[in-house]
Amino acid sequence: MTVYQKYEPKPLKPQLLEMPGFSKKQIEEHYQLYLGYVNKTNEVRQKLETADRSTANATYSELRSLKLGEDYAWDGVKLHEWYFENLGGKGGAPTGHVASLIRRDFGSIERWEADFKATGLAFRGWAVLAYDMHDKCLHNYGSDAHDVGVIWCAMPLLVLDVYEHAYMIDYGIKRAAYIDAFLKNVDWEVVNHRLHEMPGAPPMSLE
Ligand code: FE
């Protein structure tokens, strides 16, 4: 089993506290929630070092509980880090290589954006623009919780948190207005960087 190593949280980018459409309180509260997932990841992984493997059981066991907790907390850490990282930009239309791939795989930027927004309304946790290494295409995937509906071998490029905690303070139950505000603050440079850095990145020849 993995030897425990403490995971340190990523700092909050100061520009996220100045984003149009998002109050300081909304972002600060959301960041506190992220810190909770980091703490739980560390707590669970520490307990996993000494958990009883001899009683492992798929209905209930200490090991099962801890591993389920690890899936949920660690996916929560990753998704929130990607979410905060892909905010704080100028928003607007996608740029660069990712824009070319969106046009290729969705037909147009408008068709992608309509599908991305609708995905954000159709799921309870996350909407993710991802590059799927299996069919080598972009897709908008949805997920009801950090550890539910995860697609294997799909690299997240743009991550949108649609849990109520992400927008309730500023938008009440108006999720569509929150998604519009999110899209006005996307950092497309970060999205393009993810695309270029990932293993098996598609060739740039589409430009
Ligand atoms: Fe969240």
Side-chain angles (χ1 to χ4, degrees), residues 30-43 73 77:
H30 202 172
Y31 182 73
Q32 288 302 316
L33 199 130
Y34 155 71
L35 293 180
Y37 288 126
V38 173
N39 291 339
K40 276 293 167 195
T41 297
N42 285 328
E43 181 188 332
V77 168

Side-chain angles (χ1 to χ4, degrees), residues 105-147:
D105 295 340
F106 289 89
S108 70
I109 300 294
E110 293 70 29
R111 286 190 79 238
W112 165 76
E113 192 177 297
D115 184 65
F116 187 75
K117 284 185 189 177
T119 304
L121 295 175
F123 282 84
R124 297 168 191 163
W126 300 94
V128 177
L129 168 66
Y131 180 80
D132 197 317
M133 288 183 256
H134 203 68
D135 63 6
K136 301 185 172 19
C137 284
L138 294 184
H139 297 267
N140 289 326
Y141 290 131
S143 145
D144 279 340
H146 314 332
D147 56 346

Side-chain angles (χ1 to χ4, degrees), residues 30 33-34 37 76 80 83-84 125-126 146 161-163 165-166:
H30 202 172
L33 199 130
Y34 155 71
Y37 288 126
H80 281 96
Y83 171 76
F84 288 129
W126 300 94
H146 314 332
D161 191 337
V162 292
Y163 281 107
H165 66 244

Side-chain angles (χ1 to χ4, degrees), residues 36-53:
Y37 288 126
V38 173
N39 291 339
K40 276 293 167 195
T41 297
N42 285 328
E43 181 188 332
V44 165
R45 286 183 171 170
Q46 225 166 354
K47 288 183 175 161
L48 273 168
E49 282 217 303
T50 53
D52 184 3
R53 266 72 183 170

